[in-house]
Amino acid sequence: MAKVLLIEDDPGVREAVRLGLELEGYLVLEAKNGGEGLRRLREAPDVVVLDVLLPGGDGFGVLREIRRQSALPVLMLTALDEVEYRVKGLREGADDYLVKPYALSELVARLEALLRRTSAVQELLSYADVVLLPARMEARRAERPLELSPKAFQLLKTFLDHPERLLSKEALMQKVWGEEVEPNTLEVHLSALRRALGEPPLLHTLRGHGYILRKARAGNVP
């Protein structure tokens, strides 16, 4: 059963879409705003349906944050039929776009297409005994599930993208936050990641140089 995260502020639309998708066999997670939607990413949806117009900020901002955390397929909904909005959504990382009003059958067909595409090319990253599925926000070490915050998850993904390569603080900040943040903020999330990974240690600090993911600590900078 595929799991859909529906981020839509209109309660009537949200209920109608939820009921329709449930009749088609989907499990639906609901969120009435972007903040709630981002929190529910931890529940590992398979696909996101995201309204462009949301209270407290537009859906494009939510989309950018989703893309910082996950490669999940995202279908955007909008009442704005201008080409510039569709282009903006696709450039920001949306996988598909649907203009309101739309038929439920079209929404279902587009979701099915996105899920087929994702299933065919689902990314799996691994190193040593660590396995990470970015699209599902799942991580394991030796078959043990890792409980990670979104930022710790993104840090792990960055290290798995560059195993046995030295990464500076600045590089990690740009990859995970998109900008420089307080060094203590980075250290807090790195410490949480180390604790989650457990023993034997895989994440090592090379003082004055940065951090590296590798199986055994060495005394010299690689």
Side-chain angles (χ1 to χ4, degrees):
M1 179 185 296
K3 190 185 299 184
V4 178
L5 172 56
L6 173 63
I7 307 176
E8 163 67 64
D9 66 306
D10 186 313
V13 173
R14 199 168 61 243
E15 181 179 13
V17 173
R18 176 182 60 80
L19 291 173
L21 291 179
E22 287 177 346
L23 287 173
E24 294 291 335
Y26 290 92
L27 176 64
V28 181
L29 307 174
E30 295 182 63
K32 61 181 177 294
N33 55 52
E36 184 180 356
L38 292 172
R39 288 191 295 274
R40 299 206 75 170
L41 286 176
R42 298 185 182 186
E43 298 176 56
D46 298 292
V47 62
V48 178
V49 176
L50 171 63
D51 191 16
V52 167
L53 299 177
L54 294 171
D58 63 43
F60 297 121
V62 177
L63 175 62
R64 285 191 291 273
E65 184 58 32
I66 290 174
R67 282 292 163 260
R68 289 181 182 178
Q69 300 183 25
S70 171
L72 275 171
V74 177
L75 170 66
M76 297 199 78
L77 301 175
T78 181
L80 306 171
D81 195 18
E82 289 86 349
V83 172
E84 63 182 285
Y85 285 99
R86 297 199 298 273
V87 171
K88 179 177 174 63
L90 295 171
R91 284 180 172 169
E92 293 282 3
D95 297 276
D96 202 355
Y97 223 94
L98 192 56
V99 177
K100 299 176 181 178
Y102 53 85
L104 178 66
S105 58
E106 183 178 7
L107 174 61
V108 170
R110 288 175 183 256
L111 290 177
E112 288 175 348
L114 286 176
L115 290 167
R116 282 197 302 270
R117 193 187 314 161
T118 302
S119 177
V121 298
Q122 186 173 44
E123 184 182 13
L124 183 149
L125 299 174
S126 65
Y127 177 78
D129 56 353
V130 176
V131 174
L132 183 141
L133 293 167
R136 298 186 61 85
M137 291 197 72
E138 293 179 3
R140 304 187 300 274
R141 183 170 191 189
E143 299 306 315
R144 173 176 60 87
L146 301 180
E147 297 294 330
L148 301 173
S149 70
K151 294 303 184 187
F153 188 92
Q154 275 301 105
L155 282 169
L156 179 57
K157 182 180 183 301
T158 301
F159 283 113
L160 289 171
D161 281 333
H162 306 89
E164 300 186 3
R165 285 180 55 186
L166 184 65
L167 298 175
S168 68
K169 289 183 178 181
E170 292 75 17
L172 291 171
M173 290 175 185
Q174 286 297 326
K175 286 285 188 182
V176 176
W177 282 268
E179 60 184 359
E180 287 198 18
V181 296
E182 289 293 327
N184 186 58
T185 299
L186 175 62
E187 292 293 342
V188 167
H189 290 285
L190 285 169
S191 296
L193 177 56
R194 282 195 180 95
R195 288 195 300 272
L197 287 171
E199 298 292 336
L202 283 175
L203 183 57
H204 307 287
T205 302
L206 299 180
R207 296 194 179 279
H209 298 281
Y211 307 86
I212 188 168
L213 184 76
R214 63 182 173 197
K215 297 176 186 176
R217 180 185 290 272
N220 299 320
V221 179

